[in-house]
Amino acid sequence: MSKSFDVVVIGAGPGGYIAAIRAAQLGMQVACIDEWSTPEGKPAPGGTCTNVGCIPSKALLQSSENFDHAGHAFAEHGIQVKGLAIDVAQMLKRKDKVVKQNNDGILYLFKKNKVIFFHGRGAFAGGSAGAWQIQVSGKTADVLTAKHVIIATGSTPRALPDIPFDNKLILDNTGALAIGETPKKLGVIGAGVIGLEMGSVWRRLGAEVTVLEALPAFLGTVDEQVAKEALKVFTKQGLAIHTGVKVGKITARKNVTVEYTDSAGAAQTLTVDKLIVSIGRVPYTHGLNGNAVGLKLDERGFVAVDGDCKTNLGNVWAVGDVVRGPMLAHKAEEEGVAVAERIAGKHGHVDFNTVPWVIYTSPEIAWVGRTEQQLKEEGVKYRAGSFPFMANGRARALGDTTGFVKILADAATDRILGVHIIGPMASELIAEAVVAMEFGAASEDIAMICHAHPSLSEAMKEAALAVDNRTLNL
Ligand code: FAD
Ligand code: NAI
């Protein structure tokens, strides 16, 4: 087998494996190296997203939501459930199966696209632009030569100072996705995306969940109106969310005790069976041996790149969580495709203004573009139109009428500047807004499009009509 490649990708998360496939589609000889292993030591490509992120978290969110519906929503439909119980072991088994299907799917895609996969750690071993040497340390020890290298080594969870994760009592995302039985009391530090998604899973299964957030505002980067609605709903669901706290000493013995100061400055103690620490993630470059070849990192440890994902080294690129920008799987994928295309002499492009965000709680929260508070800060004149799911026929039939769609459009041109949704299937509905914004649509464009009836997407059309004060169903 040739050990010389046009492109060697280090990391097979969403950034890396997609970059490898696109580069192969463009006719290049491509290798992809990834060190993630199953408990049996087999390759598990897909990175954080597939193994301990997007995919397993959504599997558990679905299982716990089904349980919650069976317990709380079915009766209204005349469906009686007797002896409802949750088998956590089976729920985790299903989650593991979903993960494995995705691992296997990526290995299949590599084969189909003639990407040569190496299971092990990839590290710079020398070379220069056009002929980089990459050492693979796994079951075999290969040295690959690469014209181009794409670094896609991802991120790892940030720990609190002096409180290492043990994944028994102090859990990172890996531990949070593998809790073997519903804890009676669960603590979460950080009311961000992981904290809210994982907190929701275990709350639905019966845990008493307390979330401690350092910032005074809840979901500070989300549109304020959406964040306010979310806080109201999550609190009603039983998540005890405390913002503006200062976490102090944490003691982990049989259980975990967290000493903290609340927003009023009063000393408090929280005792829980398990504590999830979800206070953000840090770029992962450990073991890459970037130092040896002079790879430049920025002050926060991200691989420094320009707008095209070029590093300071000739023909070395970096994408995904290991570089600046949102830590999202689809952002990593877009960068991976764009870099492969640039290497092939095409014009890969990633539009950061239209990267959607989704929080997969119930209700889901999704947005794209700027928030109302950002537009105010920037002094942009805008018009806002909202439509509640309460007035949407499909939402009523679903029995899920929480939330609303809000569209923000430029006051002069009507161009859509931001769309914010809290409600059922927000993760799917936001796609229409992304397409509209990518095509530079005005709110009137959405208002003039025929939307199927009855469908949740009619709330998008109605919100667009509301920008011009002419909703039809409210
Ligand atoms: P990663 O997925 O982290 O992949 C990097 C890969 O590189 C890993 O397999 C790693 O083992 C490998 N690697 C690292 N160094 C080396 C080396 N030297 N040699 C060989 N291999 C190496 N994002 C979303 O968009 N939607 C979601 O719903 C979502 N849910 C999430 C839920 C959780 C709990 C978490 C933790 C994250 C979630 N994310 C979600 C974020 C998403 O997982 C990341 O943004 C995404 O995985 C980043 O992709 P990546 O390819 O940059 O890195
Ligand atoms: P996050 O950045 O979403 O949230 C971290 C929260 O912790 C913030 O609200 C922050 O203010 C708070 N915090 C920080 N230090 C603290 C401290 N000492 N005490 C109390 N609170 C503190 O990070 P999270 O949830 O760890 O997720 C990491 C990343 O993974 C996300 O930013 C996101 O990019 C990605 N992700 C995406 C998902 C999705 O797209 N649905 C799901 C899960 C993760």
Side-chain angles (χ1 to χ4, degrees), residues 256-341:
V256 188
T257 306
V258 182
E259 292 171 31
Y260 68 95
T261 314
D262 68 18
S263 57
Q268 304 284 356
T269 303
L270 173 73
T271 302
V272 289
D273 302 309
K274 294 192 186 286
L275 181 72
I276 298 174
V277 177
S278 47
I279 56 167
R281 295 177 62 83
V282 290
Y284 183 77
T285 51
H286 180 75
L288 194 58
N289 203 27
N291 260 345
V293 286
L295 178 70
K296 199 171 150 208
L297 305 184
D298 70 15
E299 62 288 350
R300 292 187 302 154
F302 289 93
V303 175
V305 287
D306 66 8
D308 287 345
C309 289
K310 277 185 185 152
T311 70
N312 65 312
L313 303 174
N315 289 11
V316 178
W317 312 71
V319 299
D321 280 12
V322 79
V323 304
R324 84 285 174 265
M327 286 187 167
L328 295 174
H330 40 283
K331 174 264 192 183
E333 291 182 5
E334 292 301 310
E335 284 182 336
V337 168
V339 163
E341 295 189 346

Side-chain angles (χ1 to χ4, degrees), residues 11 13-15 34-35 47-49 53-54 58 120 122 153-154 321 327-330:
D34 192 279
E35 63 183 345
T48 302
C49 177
C54 329
K58 268 77 247 178
T153 49
D321 280 12
M327 286 187 167
L328 295 174
H330 40 283

Side-chain angles (χ1 to χ4, degrees), residues 162-177:
D162 305 322
I163 315 288
F165 297 110
D166 62 9
N167 278 337
K168 290 191 178 79
L169 292 170
I170 310 282
L171 315 178
D172 61 16
N173 53 299
T174 303
L177 289 161

